[in-house]
Amino acid sequence: MVDGEQLNDSSAIIDKLGLKILSKKIPESTSEDEETKWRRWVDNHLVHVLSPNIYRNTTEALESFEYITSNGKLIPTFD
């Protein structure tokens, strides 16, 4: 949650936090910069290989997910 708005996309989160914390404006240029390329790679590739490499098995992954969803606010909010 940033300023009461739930953000689900990693790039949207980075943009909002950049504005909030660093006063960094989102570039208006249409050219693809290095940061945009890395974000696209993370969104399209890295996120798909993380879970199988973090958890030892499916049961452990599901247990972790259950713990996170049942124990509430584990994600910080920025107001």
Side-chain angles (χ1 to χ4, degrees):
M1 300 289 288
V2 178
D3 292 332
E5 179 184 1
Q6 180 175 334
L7 302 172
N8 299 318
D9 178 63
S10 60
S11 287
I13 294 167
I14 292 167
D15 288 341
K16 270 287 200 202
L17 290 177
L19 285 170
K20 181 88 175 158
I21 297 169
L22 306 174
S23 299
K24 178 183 174 188
K25 295 190 178 195
I26 301 167
E28 304 260 339
S29 113
T30 56
S31 65
E32 187 173 63
D33 63 358
E34 192 70 17
E35 180 180 352
T36 303
K37 289 176 187 176
W38 276 108
R39 285 190 196 186
R40 181 175 293 126
W41 180 82
V42 168
D43 291 341
N44 294 332
H45 301 286
L46 183 63
V47 296
H48 301 290
V49 297
L50 277 179
S51 292
N53 289 291
I54 292 173
Y55 303 108
R56 292 175 287 200
N57 54 51
T58 305
T59 302
E60 186 177 280
L62 292 172
E63 288 171 353
S64 295
F65 181 75
E66 176 62 31
Y67 177 82
I68 290 167
T69 56
S70 65
N71 287 300
K73 279 187 137 179
L74 295 178
I75 299 173
T77 60
F78 298 90
D79 296 317

